[in-house]
């Protein structure tokens, strides 16, 4: 939290802000006057978003370029923060991905390791660095991006689902560890979301295979961002623990009305 011309300006850190849900979330926080720390591996995308948000909303944006799987890189970035960026009010643990969609007996070990390293270990690395600052400040809010896949399984979703079940367990565990320090912990659990690179990444940039949203209308990245901002903007005494949301044409991981976009 910073005070600018007698107005309190809050700070949010959004991981994985170079595309999809993270980019939409960083944009919404900036629109609401937050200064935002944006992270990701693609420097040019961070720069582009930073320039856009600074110009459009007049807030301060800090780009931190690192691979969240590499604890040395994460540590260097967070420990290197200038004093004015140290009071992080909201941490959105969004960076994550799915790789592959194979039955367990045909899964690629490399994909499994990438998902575990990013979705679980990466989330832990940054949380381990940011949460002590929140504990010292006696306040803060951590919002993890889980998934419907963190609540139920679907064919071939095995390891991705396991990482999101782990995110769910971490959200619950973090909350019981941190609530006595004045820190809220919650998560958002979306079903399918378009306007993201999720499917392209899952299917090795195969554009044909990644066309998984053509026969129904999924959520949009902005829909999830709005839920995250809603969670972050509740009064001090309200902590939303989990919001599970899907498009109207999805009723569960295994129930999608693919009869055309409605
Ligand atoms: P995108 O692929 O559009 O965004 C993923 C973001 O994570 C990118 O900004 C990417 O940045 C970042 N990221 C991935 N790997 C790393 C890494 N090793 N180091 C740093 N940053 C990384 O997908 P979504 O917006 O859909 O995904 C965001 C979150 O939402 C994920 O946790 C995903 O599991 C979850 N989710 C997605 C759903 C969907 O249907 N799209 C549904 C439910 C949950 P960069 O490539 O620049 O490093
Ligand atoms: C992304 C949604 O159903 O592809 O978390 O796992 S799903």
């Amino acid at each position: 939290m910073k005070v600018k011309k007698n107005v309190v300006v809050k700070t949010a850190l959004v991981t994985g802000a170079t595309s999809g849900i993270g980019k939409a979330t960083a944009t919404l926080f900036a629109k609401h006057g937050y200064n935002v720390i944006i992270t990701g591996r693609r420097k040019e995308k961070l720069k582009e978003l930073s320039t856009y948000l600074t110009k459009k909303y007049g807030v301060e944006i800090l780009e931190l370029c690192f691979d969240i799987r590499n604890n040395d890189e994460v540590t260097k970035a967070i420990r290197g923060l200038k004093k004015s960026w140290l009071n992080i009010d909201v941490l959105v643990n969004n960076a994550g991905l799915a790789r592959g969609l194979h039955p367990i007996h045909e899964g690629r070990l490399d994909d499994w390791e990438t998902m575990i390293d990013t979705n679980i270990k990466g989330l832990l690395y940054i949380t381990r660095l940011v949460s002590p600052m929140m504990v010292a400040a006696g306040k803060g809010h951590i919002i993890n991006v889980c998934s419907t896949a963190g609540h139920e399984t679907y064919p071939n979703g095995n390891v991705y689902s396991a990482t999101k079940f782990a995110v769910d367990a971490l959200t619950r565990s973090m909350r019981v560890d941190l609530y006595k320090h004045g820190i809220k912990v919650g998560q958002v659990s979306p079903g399918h979301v378009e306007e993201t690179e999720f499917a392209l990444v899952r299917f090795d940039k195969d554009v044909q295979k990644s066309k998984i949203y053509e026969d129904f209308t999924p959520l949009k990245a902005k829909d999830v961002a709005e839920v995250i901002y809603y969670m972050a903007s509740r009064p001090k005494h309200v902590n939303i623990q989990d919001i599970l949301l899907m498009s109207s044409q999805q009723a569960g991981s295994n129930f999608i009305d693919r009869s055309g976009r409605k």
Side-chain angles (χ1 to χ4, degrees):
M1 196 192 292
K2 288 183 195 172
V3 180
K4 200 161 99 184
K5 290 183 194 151
N6 290 331
V7 179
V8 173
V9 179
K10 290 188 174 179
T11 300
L13 190 166
V14 181
T15 68
T18 53
S19 65
I21 295 168
K23 184 176 178 183
T25 303
T27 302
L28 200 55
F29 275 86
K31 187 176 174 185
H32 285 280
Y34 275 71
N35 290 333
V36 190
I37 303 172
I38 53 175
T39 88
R41 288 166 299 181
R42 288 169 293 174
K43 211 174 182 161
E44 68 295 346
K45 296 263 180 202
L46 290 172
K47 184 85 228 150
E48 199 181 294
L49 182 62
S50 164
T51 306
Y52 172 75
L53 295 179
T54 310
K55 234 187 223 167
K56 181 137 178 121
Y57 300 117
V59 294
E60 291 172 33
I61 304 291
L62 180 70
E63 305 142 43
L64 292 183
C65 187
F66 57 77
D67 186 330
I68 205 155
R69 294 170 297 177
N70 183 325
N71 191 37
D72 289 343
E73 283 185 29
V74 184
T75 304
K76 200 170 156 207
I78 300 298
R79 293 255 158 88
L81 283 174
K82 288 201 178 123
K83 206 172 160 214
S84 58
W85 284 102
L86 286 176
N87 295 315
I88 296 165
D89 297 280
V90 184
L91 166 64
V92 182
N93 277 322
N94 164 76
L97 77 184
R99 296 280 298 133
L101 189 67
H102 306 283
I104 200 74
H105 61 287
E106 290 173 7
R108 302 180 299 206
L109 286 187
D110 191 40
D111 287 347
W112 293 359
E113 274 158 18
T114 302
M115 289 187 279
I116 291 165
D117 289 350
T118 311
N119 301 358
I120 306 176
K121 291 166 73 180
L123 182 149
L124 284 170
Y125 293 154
I126 192 137
T127 302
R128 181 64 185 85
L129 289 156
V130 173
S131 58
M133 299 185 219
M134 291 180 167
V135 169
K139 65 180 175 57
H141 196 164
I142 301 174
I143 300 172
N144 296 328
V145 178
C146 185
S147 168
T148 43
H151 297 271
E152 53 177 322
T153 58
Y154 55 88
N156 308 325
N158 42 63
V159 177
Y160 177 67
S161 240
T163 65
K164 291 298 181 177
F165 269 70
V167 170
D168 181 49
L170 283 170
T171 301
R172 294 161 190 253
S173 308
M174 284 158 61
R175 185 163 52 241
V176 296
D177 289 345
L178 295 173
Y179 82 101
K180 285 184 186 159
H181 297 280
I183 298 162
K184 301 188 203 183
V185 182
Q187 71 185 10
V188 59
S189 300
H192 284 291
V193 188
E194 66 179 351
E195 296 178 348
T196 71
E197 296 177 14
F198 182 84
L200 259 184
V201 170
R202 170 167 247 175
F203 297 112
D204 292 325
K205 301 208 168 103
D206 183 325
V207 177
Q208 280 314 313
K209 274 195 189 164
S210 65
K211 288 183 176 168
I212 59 172
Y213 311 118
E214 298 208 317
D215 50 9
F216 76 108
T217 302
L219 298 169
K220 298 193 185 312
K222 189 167 175 259
D223 299 322
V224 183
E226 281 171 353
V227 167
I228 294 172
Y229 185 75
Y230 177 80
M231 291 168 75
S233 56
R234 291 312 83 213
K236 192 175 171 218
H237 68 287
V238 179
N239 180 35
I240 295 176
Q241 300 198 350
D242 190 2
I243 292 187
L244 179 65
L245 73 153
M246 291 170 228
S247 94
S248 316
Q249 283 185 270
Q250 180 173 12
S253 287
N254 299 295
F255 298 94
I256 301 172
D257 165 14
R258 291 190 178 272
S259 63
R261 289 180 75 102
K262 288 175 186 151

